[in-house]
């Protein structure tokens, strides 16, 4: 496994990049990084290509970002790949995005396994096409014993729906006696969310110059550090991720204190 990682590094990282990675690893690394991967459509438009070409290029960036995140020692990388609102897009675009997990995992799953990456997904599974879900569930099964980076795809995910569903489950558990109203704390509430098993993100990255959350992890991002860049997702490189982590390392997190 280590040899593979070295090979990947040799092929993809210049020595400057490698030095930078080692330098950054001397300071605390964010445990959980969440990314709103935005700008695929504009990237394609700028090149007079169909929007789906931007999504395809964006998929390649998912691979590069995952490998670097793993190398840096980030524990969880959550990627916003499709929101509960994205169904409003033209059918051909939705169909294409729903094929990307198969293509991505069909191509890169062996590499993810070799690098000890664990694949997970959060979102509403029952509306996903069967082929999409099958590809993800296969990858989840085959990587479940890995203990390196968790690559968590947010697919058909929407934070408001997630919160409303959590409230419904809390009410249900109060009614059936599993939970007392007086016992409900922020921590307990978090355990009803799709992210129950993860710590809150330390760092949120959004590409493409849009400065909004777009219904992404509204509860979980309460104290996260935000890093926005004008770079379109298909142009997002290793250098950009390193820059985001470096900026994060210079921030003072106070969690409401002084
Ligand atoms: C937002 O850009 C992007 C998406 C809705 C899709 C993101 C998907 C990927 C990056 C590929 C995912 C890969 C896997 C393996 C699931 P946009 O289309 O809204 O861009 P625009 O704002 O420029 O139009």
């Amino acid at each position: 496994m280590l040899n593979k990682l070295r090979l990947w590094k040799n092929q993809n990282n210049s020595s400057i990049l490698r030095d930078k990675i080692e330098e950054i690893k001397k300071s605390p690394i964010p445990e959980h990084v969440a990314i709103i991967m935005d700008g695929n459509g504009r990237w394609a438009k700028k090149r007079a290509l169909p929007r789906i070409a931007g999504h395809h290029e964006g998929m390649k960036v998912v691979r590069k970002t995952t490998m670097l995140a793993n190398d840096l020692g980030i524990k969880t990388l959550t990627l916003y790949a499709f929101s509960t609102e994205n169904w409003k897009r033209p059918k051909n675009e939705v169909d294409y995005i729903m094929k990307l997990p198969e293509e991505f995992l069909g191509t890169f799953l062996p590499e993810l396994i070799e690098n000890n990456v664990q694949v997970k997904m959060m979102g509403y599974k029952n509306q996903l096409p069967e082929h999409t879900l099958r590809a993800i569930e296969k990858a989840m099964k085959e990587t479940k014993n890995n203990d390196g980076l968790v690559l968590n795809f947010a697919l058909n995910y929407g934070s408001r729906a997630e919160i409303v569903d959590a409230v419904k489950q809390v009410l249900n558990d109060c009614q059936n006696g599993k939970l007392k109203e007086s016992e409900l704390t922020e921590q307990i509430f978090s355990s009803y969310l799709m992210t129950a098993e993860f710590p809150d993100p330390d760092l949120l990255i959004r590409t493409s110059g849009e400065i909004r959350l777009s219904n992404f992890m509204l509860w979980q991002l309460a104290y996260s550090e935000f890093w926005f860049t004008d770079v379109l997702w298909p142009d997002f490189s290793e250098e950009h991720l390193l820059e985001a982590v470096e900026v994060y390392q210079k921030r003072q997190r106070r969690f409401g204190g002084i």
Side-chain angles (χ1 to χ4, degrees), residues 188-205:
I188 303 264
F189 187 75
S190 295
S191 73
Y192 284 82
L193 297 172
M194 291 174 186
T195 46
E197 63 186 298
F198 308 121
D200 288 340
D202 301 293
L203 172 64
L204 169 83
I205 296 172

Side-chain angles (χ1 to χ4, degrees), residues 27-157:
S27 297
I29 296 292
E31 259 191 48
H32 186 174
V33 175
I35 308 185
I36 303 177
M37 309 179 289
D38 197 8
N40 295 349
R42 276 164 282 168
W43 182 92
K45 195 173 175 199
K46 268 168 68 179
R47 289 160 180 78
L49 293 168
R51 291 177 57 81
I52 57 170
H55 295 314
H56 194 260
E57 203 59 28
M59 181 193 72
K60 295 187 205 159
V61 177
V62 168
R63 179 212 167 220
K64 273 197 299 186
T65 307
T66 303
M67 300 312 268
L68 177 56
N70 194 27
D71 198 9
L72 281 170
I74 290 169
K75 298 224 164 54
T76 308
L77 177 67
T78 297
L79 300 179
Y80 204 10
F82 194 86
S83 77
T84 44
E85 289 72 40
N86 285 151
W87 297 105
K88 293 179 206 152
R89 294 183 176 218
K91 186 176 178 314
N92 78 312
E93 185 173 340
V94 170
D95 288 349
Y96 188 82
I97 296 175
M98 287 299 154
K99 282 190 194 132
L100 285 179
E102 272 163 287
E103 183 175 346
F104 177 79
L105 295 164
T107 315
F108 300 123
L109 187 57
E111 189 180 29
L112 297 177
I113 293 172
E114 276 160 24
N115 285 284
N116 203 20
V117 173
Q118 199 183 350
V119 176
K120 297 213 170 178
M121 184 214 133
M122 66 174 187
Y124 292 94
K125 288 184 178 173
N126 47 10
Q127 285 137 0
L128 292 177
E130 208 191 305
H131 61 91
T132 312
L133 195 55
R134 209 181 316 123
I136 290 180
E137 287 188 333
K138 176 177 177 282
M140 284 170 63
K141 199 170 152 208
E142 288 182 26
T143 61
K144 75 174 191 314
N145 295 324
N146 291 351
D147 59 4
L149 174 83
V150 173
L151 172 60
N152 179 35
F153 287 108
L155 202 59
N156 195 23
Y157 170 84

